[in-house]
Amino acid sequence: MALKITVIGTGYLGATHAAAMAELGFEVLGLDVVPEKIEMLQRGEVPMYEPGLEDLLRRHVAGIEGASGRLRFTTSYEEAGAFGDVHFICVNTPQKHGEYACDMSYVESAFDALAPHLTRPALVVGKSTVPVGSAARLAERLAAAAPAGADVELAWNPEFLREGFAVQDTLHPDRIVVGVAGERAEELLREVYATPLAEGSPFIVMDYPTSELVKTSANSFLATKISFINAMAEVCEAANGDVVKLAEAIGHDERIGKKFLRAGIGFGGGCLPKDLRAFMARAGELGADQALTFLREIDSINMRRRGHMVELTRDALGGGGFLGKRVAVLGATFKPDSDDVRDSPALNVAGQIHLQGGQVTVYDPKGMENARRVFPTLGYADTALDAVRGADVVLHLTEWREFRELDPATLGDVVAERRILDGRNALDPALWRKAGWSYRALGRPKA
Ligand code: UGA
């Protein structure tokens, strides 16, 4: 009989995973404790912007015309326990308030709520990003609380999906990593992932702690790569070099690679920043803090980028204060093709300038609603053209395709001053300069 799957937590990770599991042919029950989210999903609506996810969802949600009907949603743990053979835990693990450490309370609540309903053999699979050591602890907790006892196994199966590519990354993962304590868990996960495995996705089996570390070390490496190139951008600025050329040149070395070498205002989002910090905190608890002190520097290089962007803007405006100056900000989300503004460098820069007296108007293709919620006192415009109207300087802070396709001449007609600062090194300097703009970017020569 085909396995029945539950997915607990329906945020970016869970909603995508649930829809993808239905696409792979399984009967799926998604669970969330927020009833509004469940109602939306049950109508085939995704509570966030993620390309392709709504289509995927609508192909499978029961009750939608033409859908396979393999995907349903609930708020009941009792129903989830009775339904599933494999339970994926996809709840979030944010940074604790006022601390670097990871807040495990959602993971713990999910385990505690599910366990009493596990009355027959089942596999619980953690996908949330957790501090190393969590899986071993949760396995004990599960065995003690589940009526089926030792017939309930735990596996850890970290997720590497990128926002904006979540559907593709889930259906066609570049690797499947599983931390297990027994062969049965491995067998079941091979069954769950049979389709991507047949397509050739590597399947890497290991113990719990290694699987937890794979996730945090992957994100730390990515963050290190970005901060490395941003450190080079600082040196380029001091030496009048060009970090874009530098990145292109070193990227040809296959050992270095071209990807994740785009200098700019740095990384943000719900993962990289908090994962670095939680990793440092956990290493400290384990007595291995020295091994990760370099991550403190990675974090501070990254946070410096935001302040630097503010100073570059001040400089472009003549070096005085921001009072009475109109600043247009293109981009609010932490990356393009997402509506996520969590720890967004773009919104942070906009906020800093606003708090220093600048009149800031923001436009973002998808992030306006979330940005307004986080920063209601900023000005918002409905289009890029409206945002730049009367601006003394324009800041390009999230690299949406829409911004690369803007016509510098059209924008030039409505701004007060043709000045643009590219915080993402994603616009074509020659194009803007030809249209009479002064163009400056982080880590590139002034002229
Ligand atoms: C990141 C990882 O890339 C995923 O593999 C991982 O699964 C995910 O976190 C997670 O832990 O769930 P994501 O947060 O979607 O994915 O974002 P990234 O694509 O990694 O970008 C992070 C930030 O780095 C963005 O603000 C982006 O603008 C910035 N970035 C990226 C740069 O500044 N330069 C670059 O060259 C690349």
Side-chain angles (χ1 to χ4, degrees), residues 93-109:
T93 48
Q95 186 176 337
K96 271 190 189 165
H97 284 293
E99 276 182 59
Y100 270 13
C102 163
D103 176 356
M104 284 289 286
S105 59
Y106 301 110
V107 174
E108 279 159 10
S109 316

mmCIF file of all heavy atoms in Angstrom, residues 93-109:
data_model
loop_
_atom_site.group_PDB
_atom_site.id
_atom_site.type_symbol
_atom_site.label_atom_id
_atom_site.label_comp_id
_atom_site.label_asym_id
_atom_site.label_seq_id
_atom_site.Cartn_x
_atom_site.Cartn_y
_atom_site.Cartn_z
ATOM 1 N N THR A 93 12.174 27.528 12.953
ATOM 2 C CA THR A 93 13.053 27.614 14.125
ATOM 3 C C THR A 93 13.727 28.989 14.098
ATOM 4 O O THR A 93 14.867 29.111 13.674
ATOM 5 C CB THR A 93 14.126 26.502 14.075
ATOM 6 O OG1 THR A 93 14.715 26.492 12.771
ATOM 7 C CG2 THR A 93 13.534 25.140 14.355
ATOM 8 N N PRO A 94 12.994 30.034 14.505
ATOM 9 C CA PRO A 94 13.558 31.390 14.417
ATOM 10 C C PRO A 94 14.652 31.633 15.457
ATOM 11 O O PRO A 94 14.915 30.771 16.298
ATOM 12 C CB PRO A 94 12.346 32.279 14.712
ATOM 13 C CG PRO A 94 11.402 31.428 15.487
ATOM 14 C CD PRO A 94 11.655 30.008 15.073
ATOM 15 N N GLN A 95 15.268 32.806 15.363
ATOM 16 C CA GLN A 95 16.265 33.189 16.378
ATOM 17 C C GLN A 95 15.512 33.585 17.646
ATOM 18 O O GLN A 95 14.457 34.218 17.574
ATOM 19 C CB GLN A 95 17.087 34.374 15.857
ATOM 20 C CG GLN A 95 18.250 34.764 16.757
ATOM 21 C CD GLN A 95 19.091 35.886 16.138
ATOM 22 O OE1 GLN A 95 19.102 36.097 14.922
ATOM 23 N NE2 GLN A 95 19.790 36.618 16.986
ATOM 24 N N LYS A 96 16.056 33.218 18.804
ATOM 25 C CA LYS A 96 15.423 33.618 20.069
ATOM 26 C C LYS A 96 15.559 35.114 20.256
ATOM 27 O O LYS A 96 16.569 35.701 19.853
ATOM 28 C CB LYS A 96 16.155 32.935 21.231
ATOM 29 C CG LYS A 96 15.623 31.589 21.608
ATOM 30 C CD LYS A 96 16.266 31.147 22.916
ATOM 31 C CE LYS A 96 15.923 29.701 23.226
ATOM 32 N NZ LYS A 96 16.791 29.141 24.260
ATOM 33 N N HIS A 97 14.574 35.721 20.914
ATOM 34 C CA HIS A 97 14.667 37.159 21.179
ATOM 35 C C HIS A 97 15.846 37.449 22.093
ATOM 36 O O HIS A 97 16.001 36.812 23.135
ATOM 37 C CB HIS A 97 13.369 37.666 21.817
ATOM 38 C CG HIS A 97 12.272 37.799 20.806
ATOM 39 N ND1 HIS A 97 12.305 38.726 19.784
ATOM 40 C CD2 HIS A 97 11.127 37.102 20.626
ATOM 41 C CE1 HIS A 97 11.238 38.589 19.029
ATOM 42 N NE2 HIS A 97 10.503 37.605 19.519
ATOM 43 N N GLY A 98 16.682 38.389 21.658
ATOM 44 C CA GLY A 98 17.784 38.824 22.514
ATOM 45 C C GLY A 98 18.906 37.817 22.690
ATOM 46 O O GLY A 98 19.750 37.974 23.560
ATOM 47 N N GLU A 99 18.926 36.785 21.874
ATOM 48 C CA GLU A 99 19.980 35.757 21.962
ATOM 49 C C GLU A 99 20.311 35.266 20.571
ATOM 50 O O GLU A 99 19.510 35.394 19.659
ATOM 51 C CB GLU A 99 19.449 34.530 22.725
ATOM 52 C CG GLU A 99 19.519 34.599 24.210
ATOM 53 C CD GLU A 99 18.998 33.294 24.809
ATOM 54 O OE1 GLU A 99 19.565 32.243 24.498
ATOM 55 O OE2 GLU A 99 18.020 33.354 25.573
ATOM 56 N N TYR A 100 21.482 34.650 20.430
ATOM 57 C CA TYR A 100 21.853 34.069 19.145
ATOM 58 C C TYR A 100 21.166 32.719 18.925
ATOM 59 O O TYR A 100 20.976 32.281 17.801
ATOM 60 C CB TYR A 100 23.369 33.836 19.090
ATOM 61 C CG TYR A 100 24.143 35.015 18.553
ATOM 62 C CD1 TYR A 100 23.549 36.264 18.405
ATOM 63 C CD2 TYR A 100 25.481 34.883 18.182
ATOM 64 C CE1 TYR A 100 24.259 37.334 17.917
ATOM 65 C CE2 TYR A 100 26.198 35.951 17.678
ATOM 66 C CZ TYR A 100 25.587 37.176 17.542
ATOM 67 O OH TYR A 100 26.289 38.231 17.044
ATOM 68 N N ALA A 101 20.838 32.052 20.017
ATOM 69 C CA ALA A 101 20.380 30.666 19.925
ATOM 70 C C ALA A 101 19.058 30.533 19.172
ATOM 71 O O ALA A 101 18.314 31.500 18.987
ATOM 72 C CB ALA A 101 20.240 30.084 21.318
ATOM 73 N N CYS A 102 18.817 29.295 18.752
ATOM 74 C CA CYS A 102 17.628 28.972 17.977
ATOM 75 C C CYS A 102 16.460 28.691 18.921
ATOM 76 O O CYS A 102 16.619 28.041 19.951
ATOM 77 C CB CYS A 102 18.018 27.732 17.169
ATOM 78 S SG CYS A 102 16.694 26.824 16.487
ATOM 79 N N ASP A 103 15.295 29.173 18.544
ATOM 80 C CA ASP A 103 14.084 28.947 19.342
ATOM 81 C C ASP A 103 13.454 27.624 18.888
ATOM 82 O O ASP A 103 12.906 27.538 17.785
ATOM 83 C CB ASP A 103 13.135 30.128 19.109
ATOM 84 C CG ASP A 103 11.806 29.946 19.824
ATOM 85 O OD1 ASP A 103 11.588 28.886 20.441
ATOM 86 O OD2 ASP A 103 10.979 30.871 19.753
ATOM 87 N N MET A 104 13.540 26.632 19.743
ATOM 88 C CA MET A 104 13.060 25.286 19.391
ATOM 89 C C MET A 104 11.607 25.058 19.797
ATOM 90 O O MET A 104 11.094 23.938 19.687
ATOM 91 C CB MET A 104 13.944 24.242 20.080
ATOM 92 C CG MET A 104 15.294 24.061 19.435
ATOM 93 S SD MET A 104 15.147 23.244 17.841
ATOM 94 C CE MET A 104 14.809 21.553 18.376
ATOM 95 N N SER A 105 10.941 26.104 20.277
ATOM 96 C CA SER A 105 9.633 25.855 20.883
ATOM 97 C C SER A 105 8.598 25.310 19.892
ATOM 98 O O SER A 105 7.777 24.471 20.252
ATOM 99 C CB SER A 105 9.113 27.110 21.583
ATOM 100 O OG SER A 105 9.002 28.151 20.667
ATOM 101 N N TYR A 106 8.676 25.745 18.613
ATOM 102 C CA TYR A 106 7.677 25.234 17.651
ATOM 103 C C TYR A 106 7.930 23.768 17.330
ATOM 104 O O TYR A 106 6.994 22.986 17.170
ATOM 105 C CB TYR A 106 7.678 26.060 16.357
ATOM 106 C CG TYR A 106 7.387 27.523 16.580
ATOM 107 C CD1 TYR A 106 8.380 28.483 16.416
ATOM 108 C CD2 TYR A 106 6.123 27.947 16.973
ATOM 109 C CE1 TYR A 106 8.125 29.825 16.645
ATOM 110 C CE2 TYR A 106 5.851 29.283 17.208
ATOM 111 C CZ TYR A 106 6.857 30.223 17.046
ATOM 112 O OH TYR A 106 6.598 31.541 17.278
ATOM 113 N N VAL A 107 9.208 23.401 17.234
ATOM 114 C CA VAL A 107 9.545 21.996 16.969
ATOM 115 C C VAL A 107 9.084 21.144 18.143
ATOM 116 O O VAL A 107 8.425 20.110 17.958
ATOM 117 C CB VAL A 107 11.078 21.824 16.763
ATOM 118 C CG1 VAL A 107 11.428 20.349 16.646
ATOM 119 C CG2 VAL A 107 11.542 22.577 15.537
ATOM 120 N N GLU A 108 9.403 21.617 19.338
ATOM 121 C CA GLU A 108 9.033 20.828 20.518
ATOM 122 C C GLU A 108 7.515 20.685 20.637
ATOM 123 O O GLU A 108 7.001 19.593 20.913
ATOM 124 C CB GLU A 108 9.642 21.445 21.775
ATOM 125 C CG GLU A 108 11.090 21.017 21.902
ATOM 126 C CD GLU A 108 11.935 21.915 22.766
ATOM 127 O OE1 GLU A 108 11.370 22.799 23.445
ATOM 128 O OE2 GLU A 108 13.166 21.740 22.745
ATOM 129 N N SER A 109 6.786 21.781 20.393
ATOM 130 C CA SER A 109 5.317 21.678 20.473
ATOM 131 C C SER A 109 4.793 20.693 19.439
ATOM 132 O O SER A 109 3.850 19.944 19.716
ATOM 133 C CB SER A 109 4.606 23.005 20.195
ATOM 134 O OG SER A 109 5.218 24.035 20.827
#
